[in-house]
């Protein structure tokens, strides 16, 4: 108990309940951050390995963006090791301002990459459904790589003004004391981020998915009408099976996008309220921040539960790992290692 008290004295607990039950609050905060860090790293490493081991997943051009999101979310988990280590060890206060700025900048850039990738995925599915004949000429691997490079460059540039004293990039739930007391949000910088990142991405996603599901609904209605008129027509069944995978895949991506915005909406609302000095609550700051960061793990869960090809790749990967472990054990049983003979001196 004395060691816990010593740790709590060196921790900066952002939940803001005063001195009441401070030790329990620090322990709860540490458990939440450590657990999320572990889940994010483990989940996204699994997604990356499955994508490399399942060739069928590469048939979709959106796999480029999904892998980019997986790498960005993995880096989110790795960067979360910074507050994890600051909570588990004594704080020295050396270069705390620089550490806080770099950590907030990296988190913001990585989540901007995820948001931009979701918008690009919706545009990709929109082109696949609205322009199926010219889709392969419009969306090429070279253009996809250029688009991903531009996403990273744009995300890095849009948050750079925060290093020159123009507001906070958007990281709340401050672990470091300098972040909470000396680095304040700015209403103009927040409006700048909303206008150039949050609002355009949300508009693109709403526009594309609205038209995607509208087209899919019209297509399904036409197929059902034709099948009612010509019940033995084989071409309609072929058209239905040809279009159904695109609709199912769009639904998977729509679920990922919906969960992303559900988890990030409280964070964005609090970001706006705090920047305009309407609301400032450390508890809400902590909860909304780490709720938004938890999306980096939720993407893995949604994709693994919704996509049958991903589940097949995950099962094959787990079977390969298990079979290799079993084979190594059988080899040790069949060919046991010879024991070293004791020499005369040891005898």
């Amino acid at each position: 108990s004395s060691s816990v008290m010593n740790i709590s004295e060196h921790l900066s607990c952002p939940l803001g309940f005063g001195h009441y039950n401070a030790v329990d609050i620090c322990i709860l905060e540490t458990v939440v951050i450590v657990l999320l860090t572990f889940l994010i790293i483990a989940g996204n490493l699994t997604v990356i390995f499955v994508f490399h081991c399942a060739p069928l997943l590469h048939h979709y051009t959106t796999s480029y963006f999904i892998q980019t999101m997986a790498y960005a979310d993995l880096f989110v988990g790795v960067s979360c090791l910074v507050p994890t280590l600051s909570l588990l060890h004594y704080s020295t206060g050396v270069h705390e301002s620089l550490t806080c700025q770099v950590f907030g900048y990296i988190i913001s850039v990585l989540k901007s990459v995820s948001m931009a990738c979701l918008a690009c995925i919706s545009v990709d599915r929109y082109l696949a459904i609205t322009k199926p004949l010219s889709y392969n000429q419009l969306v090429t691997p070279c253009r996809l790589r250029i688009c991903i490079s531009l996403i990273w460059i744009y995300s890095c540039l849009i948050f750079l003004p925060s290093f020159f004293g123009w507001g906070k990039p958007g990281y709340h739930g401050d672990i470091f004391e300098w972040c909470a007391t000396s680095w304040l949000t700015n209403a103009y910088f927040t409006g700048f981020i909303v206008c150039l990142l949050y609002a355009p991405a949300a508009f693109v996603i709403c526009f594309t998915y609205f038209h995607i599901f509208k087209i899919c609904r019209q297509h399904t209605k036409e197929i059902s009408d034709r099948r009612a008129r010509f019940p033995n027509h084989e071409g309609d069944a072929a058209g239905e099976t040809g279009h159904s995978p695109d609709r199912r895949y769009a639904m998977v991506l729509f679920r990922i996008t919906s969960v992303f915005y559900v988890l990030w909406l409280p964070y964005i609302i609090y970001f706006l309220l705090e920047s305009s000095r309407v609301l400032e609550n450390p508890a809400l700051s902590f909860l909304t921040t780490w709720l938004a960061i938890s999306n980096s793990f939720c993407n893995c869960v949604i994709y693994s539960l919704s996509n049958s090809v991903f589940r097949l790749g995950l099962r094959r990967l787990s079977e390969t790992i298990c079979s290799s472990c079993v084979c190594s054990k059988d080899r040790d049983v069949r060919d046991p290692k010879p024991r070293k003979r004791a020499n005369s001196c040891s005898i």
Side-chain angles (χ1 to χ4, degrees):
S1 59
S2 60
S3 60
V4 172
M5 291 295 294
N6 290 332
I7 292 176
S8 65
E9 291 175 359
H10 291 272
L11 293 180
S12 173
C13 298
L15 289 182
F17 295 107
H19 297 286
Y20 178 76
N21 224 2
V23 178
D24 294 337
I25 293 171
C26 287
I27 293 174
L28 176 63
E29 178 186 339
T30 306
V31 169
V32 169
I33 297 176
V34 171
L35 181 62
L36 277 179
T37 302
F38 172 77
L39 290 177
I40 290 170
I41 294 176
N44 286 284
L45 279 177
T46 303
V47 170
I48 292 169
F49 283 133
V50 170
F51 264 93
H52 282 289
C53 298
L56 289 176
L57 288 170
H58 296 283
H59 293 175
Y60 298 101
T61 54
T62 50
S63 65
Y64 287 86
F65 296 111
I66 293 174
Q67 289 183 76
T68 302
M69 287 175 56
Y71 280 108
D73 290 335
L74 175 63
F75 292 145
V76 168
V78 173
S79 60
C80 284
L81 291 173
V82 175
T84 301
L85 294 176
S86 70
L87 285 171
L88 295 177
H89 294 81
Y90 292 99
S91 177
T92 58
V94 178
H95 302 300
E96 186 178 359
S97 60
L98 179 61
T99 304
C100 176
Q101 285 182 316
V102 172
F103 176 71
Y105 175 78
I106 290 175
I107 288 289
S108 301
V109 167
L110 293 174
K111 299 318 296 179
S112 171
V113 169
S114 296
M115 194 174 295
C117 283
L118 288 173
C120 291
I121 285 172
S122 66
V123 173
D124 176 82
R125 290 298 89 197
Y126 177 78
L127 293 175
I129 291 178
T130 57
K131 301 181 183 296
L133 299 179
S134 58
Y135 174 76
N136 291 329
Q137 287 75 32
L138 291 173
V139 182
T140 61
C142 180
R143 290 179 179 176
L144 287 173
R145 294 188 186 97
I146 293 174
C147 182
I148 291 172
S149 300
L150 291 176
I151 287 173
W152 282 98
I153 294 172
Y154 182 77
S155 300
C156 291
L157 291 177
I158 196 174
F159 291 102
L160 269 182
S162 63
F163 277 105
F164 301 98
W166 191 32
K168 203 173 185 177
Y171 172 70
H172 304 281
D174 303 304
I175 303 301
F176 306 101
E177 185 179 358
W178 187 88
C179 288
T181 58
S182 302
W183 200 17
L184 302 178
T185 54
N186 184 288
Y188 296 104
F189 182 70
T190 302
F192 172 77
I193 297 297
V194 169
C195 293
L196 293 185
L197 179 62
Y198 296 153
F203 174 77
V204 168
I205 288 170
C206 293
F207 175 83
T208 52
Y209 278 112
F210 173 78
H211 286 83
I212 285 171
F213 291 119
K214 182 180 178 181
I215 293 169
C216 289
R217 189 164 53 248
Q218 291 175 352
H219 187 83
T220 304
K221 184 179 179 181
E222 290 174 2
I223 289 175
S224 59
D225 291 342
R226 289 179 184 178
R227 291 186 66 183
R229 271 189 248 169
F230 310 102
N232 295 325
H233 201 277
E234 297 179 356
D236 295 332
E240 182 181 3
T241 55
H243 191 68
S244 181
D246 281 337
R247 186 175 59 184
R248 288 197 300 267
Y249 196 61
M251 281 300 300
V252 173
L253 300 173
F254 179 72
R255 292 190 194 105
I256 292 176
T257 305
S258 301
V259 172
F260 181 90
Y261 277 95
V262 167
L263 294 177
W264 274 83
L265 189 59
Y267 169 82
I268 295 172
I269 293 174
Y270 181 82
F271 187 25
L272 293 171
L273 293 176
E274 187 187 80
S275 300
S276 56
R277 302 296 183 269
V278 175
L279 177 66
E280 188 172 352
N281 189 316
L284 286 177
S285 176
F286 178 83
L287 294 175
T288 54
T289 296
W290 292 97
L291 181 66
I293 291 177
S294 68
N295 177 77
S296 298
F297 171 69
C298 294
N299 287 341
C300 316
V301 177
I302 296 169
Y303 205 75
S304 60
L305 294 177
S306 303
N307 193 297
S308 58
V309 179
F310 184 87
R311 290 198 303 270
L312 179 61
L314 182 60
R315 186 168 66 249
R316 289 179 178 175
L317 178 63
S318 59
E319 289 174 354
T320 303
I321 294 174
C322 292
S323 62
S324 62
C325 294
V326 171
C327 289
S328 62
K329 289 181 180 179
D330 292 341
R331 195 181 304 113
D332 291 338
V333 172
R334 288 195 306 266
D335 303 322
K337 294 180 181 180
R339 296 180 180 178
K340 295 182 179 180
R341 293 182 179 178
N343 54 27
S344 57
C345 296
S346 62
I347 294 175

